[in-house]
mmCIF file of all heavy atoms in Angstrom:
data_model
loop_
_atom_site.group_PDB
_atom_site.id
_atom_site.type_symbol
_atom_site.label_atom_id
_atom_site.label_comp_id
_atom_site.label_asym_id
_atom_site.label_seq_id
_atom_site.Cartn_x
_atom_site.Cartn_y
_atom_site.Cartn_z
ATOM 1 N N MET A 19 34.930 9.256 11.274
ATOM 2 C CA MET A 19 33.827 8.509 10.675
ATOM 3 C C MET A 19 33.931 8.664 9.144
ATOM 4 O O MET A 19 34.133 9.745 8.636
ATOM 5 C CB MET A 19 32.499 9.098 11.191
ATOM 6 C CG MET A 19 31.321 8.287 10.830
ATOM 7 S SD MET A 19 29.701 8.839 11.397
ATOM 8 C CE MET A 19 29.919 9.470 13.032
ATOM 9 N N ASP A 20 33.800 7.564 8.446
ATOM 10 C CA ASP A 20 33.927 7.623 6.974
ATOM 11 C C ASP A 20 32.621 8.120 6.335
ATOM 12 O O ASP A 20 31.571 8.205 6.995
ATOM 13 C CB ASP A 20 34.337 6.261 6.432
ATOM 14 C CG ASP A 20 33.269 5.189 6.598
ATOM 15 O OD1 ASP A 20 32.297 5.439 7.311
ATOM 16 O OD2 ASP A 20 33.404 4.103 5.985
ATOM 17 N N ARG A 21 32.702 8.454 5.049
ATOM 18 C CA ARG A 21 31.556 9.036 4.328
ATOM 19 C C ARG A 21 30.351 8.128 4.299
ATOM 20 O O ARG A 21 29.212 8.580 4.443
ATOM 21 C CB ARG A 21 31.974 9.357 2.880
ATOM 22 C CG ARG A 21 32.770 10.614 2.757
ATOM 23 C CD ARG A 21 33.114 10.938 1.298
ATOM 24 N NE ARG A 21 31.936 10.996 0.445
ATOM 25 C CZ ARG A 21 31.933 10.598 -0.823
ATOM 26 N NH1 ARG A 21 33.019 10.174 -1.403
ATOM 27 N NH2 ARG A 21 30.816 10.669 -1.520
ATOM 28 N N LEU A 22 30.559 6.826 4.125
ATOM 29 C CA LEU A 22 29.433 5.893 4.028
ATOM 30 C C LEU A 22 28.706 5.824 5.375
ATOM 31 O O LEU A 22 27.461 5.839 5.397
ATOM 32 C CB LEU A 22 29.919 4.501 3.601
ATOM 33 C CG LEU A 22 28.810 3.455 3.435
ATOM 34 C CD1 LEU A 22 27.775 3.903 2.412
ATOM 35 C CD2 LEU A 22 29.393 2.121 3.039
ATOM 36 N N THR A 23 29.439 5.760 6.476
ATOM 37 C CA THR A 23 28.810 5.703 7.794
ATOM 38 C C THR A 23 28.004 6.977 8.045
ATOM 39 O O THR A 23 26.880 6.927 8.551
ATOM 40 C CB THR A 23 29.852 5.494 8.898
ATOM 41 O OG1 THR A 23 30.592 4.308 8.600
ATOM 42 C CG2 THR A 23 29.202 5.357 10.245
ATOM 43 N N GLU A 24 28.586 8.126 7.678
ATOM 44 C CA GLU A 24 27.863 9.398 7.836
ATOM 45 C C GLU A 24 26.587 9.409 7.000
ATOM 46 O O GLU A 24 25.541 9.872 7.445
ATOM 47 C CB GLU A 24 28.764 10.560 7.426
ATOM 48 C CG GLU A 24 29.821 10.904 8.430
ATOM 49 C CD GLU A 24 30.706 12.052 7.975
ATOM 50 O OE1 GLU A 24 30.339 12.744 6.990
ATOM 51 O OE2 GLU A 24 31.752 12.273 8.601
ATOM 52 N N ALA A 25 26.682 8.877 5.764
ATOM 53 C CA ALA A 25 25.536 8.851 4.873
ATOM 54 C C ALA A 25 24.434 7.936 5.445
ATOM 55 O O ALA A 25 23.261 8.267 5.422
ATOM 56 C CB ALA A 25 25.950 8.386 3.483
ATOM 57 N N ILE A 26 24.828 6.781 5.974
ATOM 58 C CA ILE A 26 23.845 5.850 6.534
ATOM 59 C C ILE A 26 23.177 6.471 7.747
ATOM 60 O O ILE A 26 21.951 6.351 7.897
ATOM 61 C CB ILE A 26 24.550 4.513 6.927
ATOM 62 C CG1 ILE A 26 24.959 3.741 5.679
ATOM 63 C CG2 ILE A 26 23.631 3.654 7.801
ATOM 64 C CD1 ILE A 26 25.828 2.532 5.922
ATOM 65 N N GLU A 27 23.944 7.148 8.589
ATOM 66 C CA GLU A 27 23.371 7.758 9.800
ATOM 67 C C GLU A 27 22.524 8.999 9.493
ATOM 68 O O GLU A 27 21.652 9.366 10.256
ATOM 69 C CB GLU A 27 24.470 8.106 10.785
ATOM 70 C CG GLU A 27 25.085 6.866 11.392
ATOM 71 C CD GLU A 27 26.185 7.152 12.401
ATOM 72 O OE1 GLU A 27 26.502 8.344 12.638
ATOM 73 O OE2 GLU A 27 26.722 6.178 12.967
ATOM 74 N N GLY A 28 22.767 9.632 8.350
ATOM 75 C CA GLY A 28 22.049 10.847 8.015
ATOM 76 C C GLY A 28 20.883 10.683 7.059
ATOM 77 O O GLY A 28 20.134 11.613 6.806
ATOM 78 N N TYR A 87 21.665 0.785 4.487
ATOM 79 C CA TYR A 87 22.502 -0.032 3.603
ATOM 80 C C TYR A 87 21.970 -1.450 3.511
ATOM 81 O O TYR A 87 21.812 -1.997 2.426
ATOM 82 C CB TYR A 87 23.943 -0.015 4.132
ATOM 83 C CG TYR A 87 24.893 -0.910 3.356
ATOM 84 C CD1 TYR A 87 25.354 -0.540 2.117
ATOM 85 C CD2 TYR A 87 25.307 -2.145 3.896
ATOM 86 C CE1 TYR A 87 26.233 -1.340 1.400
ATOM 87 C CE2 TYR A 87 26.174 -2.969 3.195
ATOM 88 C CZ TYR A 87 26.632 -2.557 1.942
ATOM 89 O OH TYR A 87 27.480 -3.363 1.233
ATOM 90 N N LYS A 97 25.969 -4.228 -3.763
ATOM 91 C CA LYS A 97 26.690 -3.405 -2.779
ATOM 92 C C LYS A 97 27.082 -2.071 -3.408
ATOM 93 O O LYS A 97 27.001 -1.032 -2.764
ATOM 94 C CB LYS A 97 27.918 -4.138 -2.260
ATOM 95 C CG LYS A 97 27.595 -5.342 -1.415
ATOM 96 C CD LYS A 97 28.874 -6.053 -0.977
ATOM 97 C CE LYS A 97 28.526 -7.285 -0.144
ATOM 98 N NZ LYS A 97 29.737 -8.005 0.300
ATOM 99 N N ALA A 100 24.037 0.201 -3.769
ATOM 100 C CA ALA A 100 23.625 0.703 -2.455
ATOM 101 C C ALA A 100 24.534 1.831 -1.992
ATOM 102 O O ALA A 100 24.062 2.863 -1.512
ATOM 103 C CB ALA A 100 23.613 -0.442 -1.428
ATOM 104 N N VAL A 101 25.830 1.647 -2.147
ATOM 105 C CA VAL A 101 26.792 2.690 -1.726
ATOM 106 C C VAL A 101 26.596 3.949 -2.551
ATOM 107 O O VAL A 101 26.592 5.065 -2.041
ATOM 108 C CB VAL A 101 28.255 2.160 -1.830
ATOM 109 C CG1 VAL A 101 29.249 3.284 -1.662
ATOM 110 C CG2 VAL A 101 28.486 1.060 -0.786
ATOM 111 N N ALA A 102 26.431 3.765 -3.896
ATOM 112 C CA ALA A 102 26.222 4.929 -4.763
ATOM 113 C C ALA A 102 24.977 5.717 -4.405
ATOM 114 O O ALA A 102 24.980 6.948 -4.397
ATOM 115 C CB ALA A 102 26.177 4.472 -6.235
ATOM 116 N N ILE A 103 23.931 5.038 -4.062
ATOM 117 C CA ILE A 103 22.689 5.716 -3.655
ATOM 118 C C ILE A 103 22.892 6.466 -2.360
ATOM 119 O O ILE A 103 22.510 7.632 -2.229
ATOM 120 C CB ILE A 103 21.528 4.702 -3.559
ATOM 121 C CG1 ILE A 103 21.067 4.265 -4.947
ATOM 122 C CG2 ILE A 103 20.340 5.310 -2.779
ATOM 123 C CD1 ILE A 103 20.059 3.157 -4.938
ATOM 124 N N LEU A 104 23.496 5.791 -1.366
ATOM 125 C CA LEU A 104 23.664 6.427 -0.061
ATOM 126 C C LEU A 104 24.626 7.605 -0.113
ATOM 127 O O LEU A 104 24.450 8.584 0.630
ATOM 128 C CB LEU A 104 24.144 5.399 0.978
ATOM 129 C CG LEU A 104 23.086 4.354 1.339
ATOM 130 C CD1 LEU A 104 23.692 3.208 2.131
ATOM 131 C CD2 LEU A 104 21.957 4.998 2.104
ATOM 132 N N LEU A 105 25.635 7.551 -0.970
ATOM 133 C CA LEU A 105 26.589 8.669 -1.087
ATOM 134 C C LEU A 105 26.092 9.760 -2.022
ATOM 135 O O LEU A 105 26.754 10.773 -2.200
ATOM 136 C CB LEU A 105 27.957 8.139 -1.568
ATOM 137 C CG LEU A 105 28.688 7.224 -0.584
ATOM 138 C CD1 LEU A 105 29.997 6.738 -1.187
ATOM 139 C CD2 LEU A 105 28.935 7.953 0.735
#
Side-chain angles (χ1 to χ4, degrees):
M19 190 179 320
D20 67 349
R21 281 183 54 214
L22 182 57
T23 304
E24 285 179 12
I26 290 171
E27 290 181 359
Y87 175 75
K97 292 178 181 179
V101 169
I103 287 173
L104 290 169
L105 294 178

